[in-house]
Amino acid sequence: MKGMHLRWLFVMIASLLVVVSACSSKDDASQEEPGQVDEEEMSEEGIEQGLAEDQTLIFARGGDSVSLDYASVTDGESSRVTKQIFETLIEFERDSFEIGPGLAHSWDMSEDGLRYTFYLEEGVTFHDGTPFNAEAVKVNFERWADPDHPYAYVDEGYNYSVYGTQFGGFKGDPGHVIEEINVVNEYEIEFVLSEPLGSFLQNMGMSYFAMTSPAAFEEYGAAINENPVGTGPFKFVSWTRDDSIVLEKNEEYWKEGHPKLDKIIFQVIPDNSARLTALRSGQIDIMDGLNPDDVAQVEGDDSIVLFERATNNIGYLGFHVEKEPFDDPLVRQAINHAIDKDSLITALYNGLAEPAKNPVPPGYLGYNEAIDPYAYDPERARELLAEAGYEEGFEFELWTMPVARPYMPDPQRAAEAIQSNLADVGITAKIETRDWATYLEETEKGAHDMFMLGWSGVNGDPDYFLSNLLHGDAIPGGNRSFYDEGDVNEILNQAKKTVDPNEREVLYFEALEMIHEDAVMVPLVHSIPVLAGSSRVVNYIPHPSTSETLDEVQLLE
């Protein structure tokens, strides 16, 4: 969305150049999302009169969650669920990355940008009855920051790579910007930074940094990923792996009148078409991963409503740059020239995508419009392969996802199209896949040659894309390319800690140009993710981050 650029610039300036306090007003000028019920069409009273007796929402998705410990995983299927259970100090508006109150009703920032004081909501309790207070906030942040913390569970395989990339490392690292966390009183907490951080407030709204009950760490230990205890509108009930996760209404929720639903079931239905069939038959209420090819027929069905998320992602083809022959930039450039993105979009996205040339979406601060994308040119690809010593081509494994994602609605067909493109220049790709959790775990460890994946923004800031996907500090973690270029790392570090948006933008321009020259990945598409829901569903607003709170959703008869 082109207009997002100015909006996020404003948010960054407002966040960092003045003393900030929270506000809860919605943007009156914001456009109604597709599928959102217009107030003139259906008043609140009208909705109440037409409500179904059974307020159980079934949300179908292509794959299961990896973990319900939000800070230790990066997949959207996990955050989709944890967003209902946990809450952050700052919350984003329901349809944008504009910040507003969360568990903190307001906050202040010092003039030098080094001290943030958050004023917490009083009377909030975790699902286990434990009081939410400043001590709980301190425990959660120290858990992520300190690998030696008793609740870090590093020896059990927990990894908080996103914390490290967003806050400049971990306790003891020279770049770690959170110097102190001071409990001022029960409902007031202060963060002291060693240097300014351009995205600090935006980071505080990320679902990764939500609050877990300290008592739950004591009770469940390393099994906290299967026993989530937050302050959110819904409480965890059960998890049947690769089948369903059941949540129930938090009757003690601190926001009066919420949530509206009594229960949510996140149901796994791997096949896109099977999910649509289930929606049409009334077995489910909302489905993710609608095939773009099915949009036209769904539009003609009065019983179904279409929802579109804002363009806020990158679908890409990644290389393990430490493995031959992908350690050679010429080979990576050749593969960039071999992929026909336009045909891929025509075949799989039905126009609901645009070709990518940057690893950040259009409209983001620092998006480098001046970059000249690698053109689809099989002849040039063959020339580069010959120059690299691979005139006869080579064979490798192309890893592809087992589940539809917002940036790639049909991974198998996409892999087959890429396989065909590569065959045209003499490269033989053997398509491999794993179940979703294993796929993420093994690509994080570097078991692949090349892989297909993507990334959706969760805070409206370019650092979330670049530092998690391409910074050396995100190995192991989101950087599954194992790209660790010192100059790029340094530029990203500078941009992270620069307050002035104009200065940040120049730094990102430079970093993106270097990344492009190194051909670290094949940026494929920026998509417009499409969902479908029953016309019985009201007040559902899809968030650009791909994870939205469902506390206002209701079901009609």
Side-chain angles (χ1 to χ4, degrees):
M1 294 176 68
K2 302 295 184 184
M4 281 185 169
H5 180 69
L6 291 177
R7 187 192 308 174
W8 292 339
L9 276 179
F10 173 79
V11 171
M12 297 305 296
I13 293 169
S15 302
L16 298 157
L17 299 182
V18 299
V19 175
V20 182
S21 64
C23 66
S24 60
S25 62
K26 295 284 281 185
D27 179 2
D28 292 336
S30 63
Q31 292 184 342
E32 183 179 300
E33 292 289 337
Q36 183 177 346
V37 175
D38 190 289
E39 291 181 359
E40 294 181 0
E41 293 179 14
M42 182 173 289
S43 66
E44 185 173 337
E45 182 180 356
I47 292 175
E48 292 296 328
Q49 291 176 350
L51 289 178
E53 183 176 348
D54 183 3
Q55 289 293 308
T56 299
L57 179 84
I58 302 177
F59 194 123
R61 61 226 182 105
D64 201 0
S65 301
V66 173
S67 167
L68 298 182
D69 177 50
Y70 45 84
S72 62
V73 288
T74 59
D75 69 298
E77 293 303 352
S78 295
S79 64
R80 188 191 307 284
V81 178
T82 60
K83 185 68 177 171
Q84 317 310 320
I85 302 170
F86 300 98
E87 295 175 300
T88 46
L89 298 188
I90 288 175
E91 292 286 347
F92 297 122
E93 294 291 342
R94 290 187 181 271
D95 60 354
S96 75
F97 289 112
E98 293 183 32
I99 57 176
L103 287 172
H105 59 75
S106 58
W107 52 89
D108 296 326
M109 184 185 74
S110 62
E111 291 186 8
D112 60 7
L114 297 180
R115 292 178 181 269
Y116 292 82
T117 303
F118 292 88
Y119 305 95
L120 309 179
E121 289 284 351
E122 300 184 23
V124 177
T125 59
F126 289 99
H127 298 158
D128 59 5
T130 303
F132 166 73
N133 52 31
E135 285 289 352
V137 175
K138 184 178 173 70
V139 166
N140 276 272
F141 272 88
E142 289 183 343
R143 173 206 178 199
W144 306 318
D146 184 1
D148 295 324
H149 194 280
Y151 303 152
Y153 312 127
V154 173
D155 291 341
E156 287 82 2
Y158 283 62
N159 174 14
Y160 309 105
S161 64
V162 174
Y163 177 92
T165 56
Q166 297 305 121
F167 294 107
F170 299 94
K171 182 180 179 180
D173 292 344
H176 185 223
V177 299
I178 299 181
E179 194 170 80
E180 297 177 21
I181 302 177
N182 300 316
V183 173
V184 180
N185 58 50
E186 189 172 6
Y187 297 108
E188 188 175 332
I189 190 163
E190 177 190 58
F191 288 77
V192 181
L193 309 188
S194 58
E195 53 189 317
L197 181 63
S199 59
F200 183 78
L201 287 176
Q202 296 297 117
N203 289 353
M204 298 299 274
M206 295 169 65
S207 58
Y208 296 101
F209 309 128
M211 299 292 107
T212 290
S213 166
F217 293 127
E218 289 290 334
E219 180 175 356
Y220 299 112
I224 196 71
N225 64 323
E226 296 180 340
N227 297 278
V229 182
T231 62
F234 295 94
K235 300 169 65 173
F236 175 74
V237 175
S238 64
W239 184 1
T240 304
R241 292 280 184 174
D242 298 316
D243 180 50
S244 62
I245 294 176
V246 179
L247 310 180
E248 67 181 7
K249 180 177 185 175
N250 177 12
E251 298 287 357
E252 307 300 322
Y253 189 47
W254 60 280
K255 292 183 181 179
E256 188 176 353
H258 292 76
K260 308 293 187 181
L261 294 167
D262 293 324
K263 183 185 292 186
I264 301 174
I265 300 173
F266 288 95
Q267 185 73 48
V268 176
I269 303 177
D271 183 71
N272 293 7
S273 297
R275 284 198 301 284
L276 180 56
T277 298
L279 178 63
R280 282 182 158 153
S281 65
Q283 298 175 54
I284 64 173
D285 302 299
I286 299 178
M287 63 164 287
D288 196 8
L290 178 69
N291 281 327
D293 291 347
D294 292 330
V295 168
Q297 58 173 303
V298 168
E299 286 178 329
D301 189 336
D302 292 339
S303 68
I304 299 177
V305 178
L306 284 175
F307 303 96
E308 289 184 2
R309 297 192 193 278
T311 300
N312 181 42
N313 58 40
I314 173 72
Y316 66 92
L317 180 62
F319 308 101
H320 192 315
V321 301
E322 293 184 342
K323 289 186 177 181
E324 294 183 355
F326 308 111
D327 58 343
D328 189 336
L330 293 176
V331 172
R332 301 196 298 261
Q333 290 172 7
I335 292 176
N336 267 272
H337 280 297
I339 306 302
D340 186 354
K341 299 177 190 178
D342 288 332
S343 293
L344 186 70
I345 290 171
T346 299
L348 299 181
Y349 292 85
N350 195 29
L352 293 171
E354 61 180 286
K357 62 180 181 178
N358 286 295
V360 296
Y364 266 68
L365 178 72
Y367 180 86
N368 195 335
E369 193 66 62
I371 283 178
D372 187 19
Y374 291 98
Y376 172 55
D377 188 343
E379 184 58 38
R380 179 57 180 154
R382 284 187 282 269
E383 291 174 359
L384 288 167
L385 287 171
E387 187 178 343
Y390 295 96
E391 188 170 5
E392 301 301 318
F394 57 88
E395 296 183 7
F396 75 99
E397 289 185 353
L398 171 60
W399 284 39
T400 188
M401 300 167 292
V403 297
R405 303 303 303 134
Y407 42 78
M408 203 166 291
D410 195 332
Q412 181 64 30
R413 285 177 62 197
E416 290 167 358
I418 290 168
Q419 181 185 51
S420 177
N421 284 161
L422 294 175
D424 289 343
V425 299
I427 300 175
T428 302
K430 180 185 177 183
I431 298 174
E432 294 282 339
T433 192
R434 304 286 191 276
D435 69 81
W436 184 224
T438 304
Y439 185 89
L440 293 174
E441 179 182 355
E442 294 194 2
T443 51
E444 184 174 299
K445 292 178 179 177
H448 56 282
D449 295 329
M450 278 174 57
F451 66 102
M452 295 167 58
L453 206 57
W455 200 252
S456 297
V458 299
N459 69 346
D461 193 88
D463 181 67
Y464 178 70
F465 281 85
L466 296 173
S467 287
N468 281 289
L469 295 180
L470 296 167
H471 195 296
D473 286 350
I475 302 171
N479 185 348
R480 291 168 165 84
S481 301
F482 290 80
Y483 177 68
D484 192 0
E485 172 54 50
D487 290 341
V488 172
N489 290 344
E490 181 55 34
I491 292 170
L492 294 181
N493 289 342
Q494 284 182 257
K496 184 194 299 285
K497 297 171 184 178
T498 299
V499 172
D500 187 327
N502 294 321
E503 293 179 16
R504 291 187 82 204
E505 185 165 54
V506 171
L507 290 167
Y508 287 129
F509 283 167
E510 184 179 356
L512 288 168
E513 186 62 45
M514 295 172 69
I515 290 165
H516 176 73
E517 289 297 321
D518 284 344
V520 184
M521 60 170 61
V522 182
L524 295 172
V525 300
H526 304 296
S527 73
I528 302 173
V530 185
L531 305 88
S534 166
S535 58
R536 297 175 59 235
V537 176
V538 292
N539 298 329
Y540 173 69
I541 303 175
H543 195 269
S545 68
T546 77
S547 298
E548 51 277 329
T549 304
L550 303 174
D551 64 327
E552 291 192 351
V553 173
Q554 293 176 285
L555 293 170
L556 302 176
E557 280 290 359

